[in-house]
Amino acid sequence: MGQSLKGFDVVDVMERIKQVRGVVPKRIQVDNGSEFISKVLDQWAYENEVTLDFSRPGKPTDNPFIESFNGSFRDECLNVNWFLSLEDFFKPVLQDRTPLTQPSQPPRNPARRKPSTI
C-alpha cells in the first residue's frame, strides 16, 4: 500500500463495495483532497448516480465525524507508537481491522429489511 491515494484507488474500493453489497451510497461526503477531486471519481459518481458532497476548504466542522476520528487516532495510536516503516505501521494497526468490503449484517428491525430477507 502506498503513501497516498489516487482517484483510481477510491473508485476501485467503491466498485468492490458495490460488488459485495450490491448498492452504492446516494451521497459521499468528501474533503477536497486530490483523490476526491479527480475526474475518474467524478465520472464514477455520475455513472452510479452518487452525489459527491465536498466540504468547504478550511471548515472541519463540515465533517465532524472524520475530524473526531482523526484526532482520536492521532492521540491513541500515532502519538504513542514509533513506526520504523509503513510495514511496521500496518502490522499492529490494521491487524484486527474489519475489511471495508465485508457485507454488513442485516438490520434487526424487520421494517428496515428488504422483503427478500424477511
Side-chain angles (χ1 to χ4, degrees):
M1 180 174 277
Q3 296 181 14
S4 65
L5 290 173
K6 305 290 184 214
F8 289 105
D9 300 318
V10 177
V11 169
D12 286 344
V13 170
M14 296 307 299
E15 279 297 313
R16 284 186 300 192
I17 292 171
K18 180 177 157 183
Q19 289 173 356
V20 170
R21 295 189 177 192
V23 295
V24 294
K26 292 181 181 183
R27 180 180 78 83
I28 303 173
Q29 186 165 353
V30 297
D31 63 19
N32 291 285
S34 60
E35 67 275 21
F36 299 122
I37 61 171
S38 68
K39 290 180 182 180
V40 67
L41 180 59
D42 187 48
Q43 180 179 351
W44 178 89
Y46 176 79
E47 291 171 355
N48 288 277
E49 299 179 3
V50 174
T51 300
L52 297 177
D53 186 9
F54 291 93
S55 60
R56 297 171 293 170
K59 300 290 185 182
T61 54
D62 283 355
N63 196 357
F65 302 109
I66 193 63
E67 294 301 328
S68 175
F69 169 80
N70 288 346
S72 297
F73 187 70
R74 187 178 307 105
D75 291 342
E76 298 170 15
C77 180
L78 299 178
N79 290 345
V80 296
N81 294 292
W82 184 308
F83 301 105
L84 301 175
S85 66
L86 281 175
E87 293 78 21
D88 189 35
F89 164 79
F90 284 117
K91 286 178 191 173
V93 173
L94 301 180
Q95 182 176 4
D96 297 324
R97 176 181 75 130
T98 302
L100 184 61
T101 57
Q102 180 176 347
S104 63
Q105 294 179 343
R108 294 179 193 219
N109 181 351
R112 296 183 68 197
R113 290 187 185 170
K114 294 179 183 177
S116 61
T117 63
I118 297 177

